Amino acid sequence: MVPGVSGVSRCDSELQSVRFEAEMEESGADGDGPGLEVVLPEEGRETPRCPHGPTLLFAKVCKGGESSRRFFACSACRDRKDCNFFQWEDEKVSEARLQAREAENRAKRPGTAQFVKFCGLGAHEQRFCLDCQLLLLPAEVASHAAHSTRLVGAAQLRRPSLLLRPLDNKKSQAQFLFTERSARFLLDALAARGFSRLLCVGAPRLQELAKLRSQEQDGALKSLLLDIDSRYAQFYRPDEFCHYNMFNHHFFGGEASSGVLRAFLAESAGEKVVMVADPPFGGLVKPLASSFSRISELLFQDLRHAALIPMVWIFPYFFEPRILECLPSLTMLDYQVDYDNHPLYKHGKTGRKQSPVRLFTNIPAKDVVLPKDEGYRFCSVCERYVWSLNKHCSKCNLCPSKDGREWKHCSACERCVKPSWRHCQACGRCALPDHPCGSAHAARGCFLCGSLQHKRRACPASAARRKNR
């Protein structure tokens, strides 16, 4: 299964996968089994392109660690109905096919933005097509006569995420946007740390609130939005928005567009810049981490050692091991992020219904002050803010909870576990009371080599295969 679209887009089917992963984690399983593995390209290697930019190379992991025939597929779409690109890695492609593919890619590129021209119109001329989701210049109104149109004012132009209809393609793009509470918390927390330049990757609501705050504070906060939803190009100047795919670090506008990001980072000399990324939950962690590292390289290109841009990566808590595997300098915070148009991820819910979305950041955890009036407190031992039910365990010497519930310590396992788990003597571990019990299940080891001492992701054979690639 290939990843979903980048930006703020999230597929309903991706959310089902997210819930499935949560259930797997709750039952004690770790998803250690067959599946697709993305292979990052070697430096300097060109990959085939689809309308969404360079494709990703995938390999199916088989029992025993062998990989099947590898193939290229779209980085942005999970369903081939949305992007039908497919090519075997060793496939020879004719020149005629390459030219036809490039022609198709050009035809699917969005038009140029016309925000400056639109802002110069009179109030009675500024119209928006609800059917096409486009700002209309006077010469274009007649061609939309059969559509539903409306006048838009300056206030609506400043809040495009409220004007645009959320995309809802279940296999391509289904947008969920920060609530005002979560967006304003992020802005306040970053401002308290002295950041004056904000790079929003797939976070359009944060971008528009940052611009509003900048206008209130006479330009004290500068921001740039990178997003795959090209509709936002209508509402920003070229130096405020880049059409961008975060799964392959692709700028649809070419060098001119990537130059906007380079200029934004270069102008940050003497100013503190921070990146906030809100990827789709169903996306693969490895390509995302690679793109974020490449953005960091642009900021720290004069340094001889690798460094990571100050960042906040917003993702579900159960992806923590994968994120830390790719970017070990990040730490997960307890803050629960909620979304406006999502039926489940809402503030104030309890138990398993709480939002699983967290903040992963390389900003010192003790410096990110979580709001006490929402139920967060400071743990002086862990030196970080935690959720009120995340009680400090003196035996583990940490605040162990990941999901917002109060965890309990198991003396047999010598660690804290979820409240719904019970220790199983037959399996020798904690699990749900109705878990598949038995020695065969308990003894299940590494998918690649069969060892009982580790799982596939920690297998030396897996590390050797990655090194050989």
Side-chain angles (χ1 to χ4, degrees), residues 23-30 396 407-438 441-442 444 455:
E23 292 166 2
M24 290 290 287
E25 185 202 38
E26 178 72 11
S27 65
D30 64 354
C396 295
W407 287 18
K408 60 183 182 180
H409 188 84
C410 175
S411 299
C413 293
E414 297 183 337
R415 67 187 183 99
C416 287
V417 297
K418 298 178 180 181
S420 54
W421 287 13
R422 301 291 183 271
H423 190 80
C424 176
Q425 297 296 338
C427 294
R429 64 185 179 93
C430 284
L432 286 171
D434 59 350
H435 73 283
C437 186
H441 177 80
R444 188 183 64 177
K455 294 296 184 179

Side-chain angles (χ1 to χ4, degrees), residues 246-310:
M246 71 174 80
F247 282 105
N248 53 14
H249 192 60
H250 175 65
F251 291 86
F252 292 86
E255 282 297 320
S257 186
S258 61
V260 171
L261 174 61
R262 288 195 297 270
F264 179 82
L265 297 176
E267 293 168 0
S268 66
E271 296 182 90
K272 297 182 66 175
V273 60
V274 63
M275 177 177 70
V276 176
D278 186 26
F281 299 157
L284 295 174
V285 169
K286 190 187 296 184
L288 291 170
S290 174
S291 293
F292 300 156
S293 296
R294 293 176 70 177
I295 291 176
S296 300
E297 291 172 2
L298 295 177
L299 179 63
F300 300 113
Q301 55 187 343
D302 295 332
L303 298 181
R304 294 183 179 179
H305 63 279
L308 188 64
I309 185 174

